[in-house]
Amino acid sequence: MLSTGMDKCVKLWCLRLKTLLEEFYGHVGTVWDVQWAPTGYYFLTGGADKLAILWKTDVPAPQRIFEHQG
């Protein structure tokens, strides 16, 4: 499971073990949304900072950063 919030962090949780597996930092504002890719390996986040960030579950660094210019 992934969780997001005002702390600018995305957290990956193992529900079976009830533990935090990884934290993903890259946003400079509240993270509003997260969406898994169909494979479950990649996910995309969107936030108040007008960024959409592509992540891989096993790499805690952004893979791609997209910025909204409007």
Side-chain angles (χ1 to χ4, degrees):
M1 179 179 85
L2 292 166
S3 65
T4 66
M6 294 177 63
D7 61 358
K8 307 172 191 171
C9 179
V10 180
K11 296 177 182 174
L12 176 64
W13 300 90
C14 176
L15 296 180
R16 186 174 53 84
L17 299 175
K18 300 178 183 174
T19 59
L20 177 64
L21 299 175
E22 189 66 72
E23 294 180 321
F24 300 85
Y25 293 94
H27 283 279
V28 292
T30 300
V31 183
W32 286 338
D33 197 16
V34 62
Q35 181 67 48
W36 284 105
T39 63
Y41 181 65
Y42 291 95
F43 61 95
L44 187 71
T45 57
D49 52 10
K50 297 184 178 182
L51 297 178
I53 301 178
L54 179 67
W55 307 87
K56 291 192 318 189
T57 55
D58 61 347
V59 180
Q63 299 302 295
R64 299 280 189 276
I65 298 175
F66 307 93
E67 185 174 1
H68 186 280
Q69 299 293 322

